[in-house]
Amino acid sequence: MTIPTRVVDEEFRALPLAALADAALSAARAAGATHADLRVHRLVTQSIRLRDGRVESIGNTTDLGFAVRVIVDGTWGFASHAELSPATAADVARRAVQVATALRELNRERVELAPEPAYPAAQWVSAYEIDPFSVPTPEKVALLQDYSQRLSAADGVDHVTASVLQVKEQTYYADTAGSSITQQRVRLHPQFEAITVDAAAGVFETMRTVAAPAGRGWEYVTGADGRWDWDDELARIPAWLAEKVKAPSVTAGPADLVIDPTNLWLTIHESIGHATEYDRAIGYESAYAGTSFATPDQLGTLRYGTPVMHVTGDRTEQHGLATVGYDDEGVAGQRWDLIRDGVLVGYQLDRVFAPRLGLARSNGCSYADSPHHVPIQRMANVSLQPDPERDTTTEDLISRVDDGIYIVGDKSWSIDMQRYNFQFTGQRFFRIRNGRLAGQLRDVAYQATTTDFWGAMEAVGGPSTWVLGGAFNCGKAQPGQVASVSHGCPSVLVRGVDILNTRAEAGQ
């Protein structure tokens, strides 16, 4: 499918963007700021949720405002407002300078920004065909009802939930160095779940679609872009669910695993994505989800995994949830190595943290989820690369296992405050015997430390197995901020991983 050339919506471009920038940046300079930037941020969201084919909720929200950041004597100042007028922008800029001046005596480390070229009159729009906000809501509801009906018509399915979350994010960034950047991103997450209930036993079981959220348009939900076969998955879920209900409970102990990308993306997010955020690695961020075992003194020496492990940070991956043209500090999107040949070689950085690591340039990882939140260092699309030499299939990996488990889809998870000890479950678990799938198992979780797990990865699949997964709701910071992020990966083969029986662990 050819992605049409798109421009930022006229509704956003018609806002007094240049006038706000002129007023705010001029006022900040006059008040003594050595650096100032303005960010106008508009976030439009629609959430539709159905239960058993009936609309349960439809929510529409729009968040619009602007923020000004300044540096005064090496100290940050920040202020924001919802009224988009030049006079208010000038007042907000002066207030940001006042904040910086008040905080100056408390600042223990002078702010130094890594240099970045100016990008005057730049524009970037994400890759999508159909703006979901151009599709009438009744038409969207009708599609969700159709998908729900396909599931609920099957024997053994007692309830069905269906939902789609859609977001359009528009920003305008300008700074005293001369950048003026307008951007627009669209993303959505469709999800369908079948539920079977054993009323007599008082238990239930679920099976959910494993299609990832994506930086795509409404064509993704209809299947018109060919990226996800909704017809096939919806047709197969009832049988998978029926088999899961009758499946034997897993026997705890070490096992060889073939892990599908629809499950592995979350393990990457928690054990690599968060662990290679530089602010966590130096202990700057610790209040929300902890720090990281992957500290800078180990850069270039930490054996993260086997030599087949190559992980990149990427702000340019087409359809990635964390893909941008420029970040919230005006840094152009880039791709770089985090782990190469199994060794830690890089971090995710913004313009403040790059100089602390001795780098001349940020790799563009600054983001704020609201006009009223300060931009912080946030995760790029962090992805495990496939085998560059051969297109090993998932079936090839399964054929190398005598007795093990094939894991598909994500579900619950936990990890410690240093991103080191973890456990993950999934949607479907298939027993592997003599290189072939031999029916489902249930009550499965895999547990390991980060370096033990990735150090046991024997092989990665080829490009044909690579899938871009991800999440809409990665949380960080106080006050809390939420960001969307994608993680691409192939299928992998991991040897001798500890398997837990979740039912036994729960004392049942």
Side-chain angles (χ1 to χ4, degrees):
M1 176 174 292
T2 301
I3 302 297
T5 301
R6 305 198 69 92
V7 296
V8 177
D9 291 352
E10 171 61 26
E11 182 181 6
F12 185 73
R13 290 185 288 118
L15 297 174
L17 304 174
L20 293 172
D22 289 343
L25 301 181
S26 296
R29 285 194 197 95
T34 55
H35 167 87
D37 57 60
L38 169 131
R39 174 175 48 90
V40 181
H41 194 156
R42 183 172 185 258
L43 195 68
V44 183
T45 302
Q46 182 183 61
S47 173
I48 303 174
R49 182 174 178 82
L50 279 64
R51 180 175 175 83
D52 296 332
R54 295 185 296 273
V55 175
E56 191 171 66
S57 64
I58 297 177
N60 295 280
T61 61
T62 299
D63 187 15
L64 174 62
F66 73 93
V68 179
R69 291 193 317 170
V70 300
I71 298 176
V72 178
D73 292 335
T75 303
W76 280 121
F78 175 87
S80 68
H81 207 283
E83 182 183 332
L84 303 187
S85 73
T88 301
D91 287 342
V92 169
R94 287 187 285 267
R95 182 151 50 90
V97 171
Q98 291 171 353
V99 170
T101 302
L103 294 176
R104 184 168 46 197
E105 295 302 317
L106 301 176
N107 186 16
R108 293 178 296 175
E109 188 168 1
R110 185 178 181 86
V111 174
E112 299 289 346
L113 297 183
E116 181 70 14
Y119 304 97
Q123 179 174 278
W124 179 88
V125 179
S126 65
Y128 61 93
E129 183 180 4
I130 301 173
D131 182 346
F133 293 93
S134 71
V135 180
T137 297
E139 182 178 327
K140 290 185 274 194
V141 169
L143 181 62
L144 298 189
Q145 288 175 326
D146 174 53
Y147 286 178
S148 296
Q149 175 61 29
R150 299 187 201 183
L151 290 174
S152 61
D155 292 339
V157 175
D158 295 301
H159 299 287
V160 173
T161 62
S163 63
V164 61
L165 178 60
Q166 306 142 89
V167 177
K168 180 189 289 184
E169 186 170 25
Q170 298 159 323
T171 58
Y172 173 77
Y173 172 90
D175 62 28
T176 48
S179 285
S180 56
I181 302 165
T182 311
Q183 301 188 93
Q184 178 167 296
R185 295 195 286 165
V186 165
R187 54 186 181 268
L188 46 74
H189 187 192
Q191 189 167 273
F192 306 90
E193 185 173 59
I195 305 164
T196 185
V197 179
D198 184 338
V203 297
F204 67 93
E205 191 58 83
T206 66
M207 186 68 68
R208 172 170 52 76
T209 52
V210 296
R216 296 179 180 274
W218 191 247
E219 68 278 0
Y220 181 51
V221 189
T222 65
D225 62 355
R227 302 306 304 178
W228 197 260
D229 192 339
W230 295 102
D231 293 339
D232 178 70
E233 187 175 26
L234 292 170
R236 299 178 70 180
I237 279 179
W240 281 326
L241 178 58
E243 183 183 5
K244 183 178 181 180
V245 169
K246 298 176 182 178
S249 190
V250 72
T251 299
D256 296 340
L257 305 180
V258 175
I259 306 179
D260 194 80
T262 56
N263 179 273
L264 189 65
W265 75 264
L266 184 55
T267 309
I268 292 170
H269 177 87
E270 298 296 341
S271 69
I272 303 173
H274 279 306
T276 57
E277 293 177 305
Y278 186 70
D279 57 349
R280 292 190 191 280
I282 63 174
Y284 183 91
E285 166 69 18
S286 60
Y288 195 135
T291 57
S292 171
F293 77 96
T295 51
D297 58 301
Q298 303 177 85
L299 187 63
T301 61
L302 174 63
R303 172 57 65 180
Y304 220 103
T306 57
V308 299
M309 186 181 189
H310 177 202
V311 179
T312 58
D314 195 342
R315 298 283 267 170
T316 65
E317 177 68 44
Q318 191 175 58
H319 306 299
L321 295 172
T323 297
V324 294
Y326 308 86
D327 76 350
D328 282 356
E329 293 182 324
V331 178
Q334 302 158 49
R335 183 179 188 268
W336 69 99
D337 285 346
L338 294 168
I339 299 167
R340 186 172 56 245
D341 300 326
V343 176
L344 176 69
V345 296
Y347 288 100
Q348 302 166 72
L349 302 157
D350 62 15
R351 291 182 68 179
V352 171
F353 290 123
R356 297 187 189 185
L357 192 59
L359 297 182
R361 188 186 183 202
S362 162
N363 47 40
C365 291
S366 178
Y367 174 72
D369 68 353
S370 161
H372 309 299
H373 284 161
V374 177
I376 58 174
Q377 186 261 293
R378 292 309 312 257
M379 200 181 298
N381 302 306
V382 174
S383 299
L384 175 67
Q385 298 305 307
D387 188 333
E389 298 181 356
R390 61 185 70 83
D391 196 9
T392 304
T393 67
T394 302
E395 291 73 20
D396 292 334
L397 297 176
I398 291 171
S399 72
R400 293 164 61 170
V401 177
D402 292 329
D403 189 359
I405 303 172
Y406 172 49
I407 302 175
V408 179
D410 64 275
K411 202 169 184 180
S412 65
W413 57 275
S414 66
I415 193 166
D416 72 5
M417 297 293 281
Q418 285 201 308
R419 327 310 297 181
Y420 195 61
N421 289 283
F422 62 68
Q423 68 179 44
F424 292 88
T425 61
Q427 287 293 316
R428 300 189 287 276
F429 307 93
F430 296 91
R431 180 75 179 269
I432 304 173
R433 281 192 172 175
N434 301 318
R436 295 178 179 272
L437 299 185
Q440 285 192 57
L441 295 167
R442 61 186 301 174
D443 310 320
V444 180
Y446 59 94
Q447 185 276 328
T449 66
T450 294
T451 51
D452 283 348
F453 176 84
W454 295 108
M457 185 170 65
E458 181 179 290
V460 297
S464 66
T465 73
W466 196 88
V467 175
L468 195 63
F472 254 47
N473 58 343
C474 176
K476 187 177 181 180
Q478 289 182 330
Q481 297 194 38
V482 175
S484 298
V485 60
S486 291
H487 303 287
C489 56
S491 297
V492 302
L493 169 58
V494 190
R495 299 286 189 183
V497 179
D498 284 340
I499 295 298
L500 306 177
N501 183 301
T502 56
R503 187 178 295 270
E505 291 290 323
Q508 299 177 1

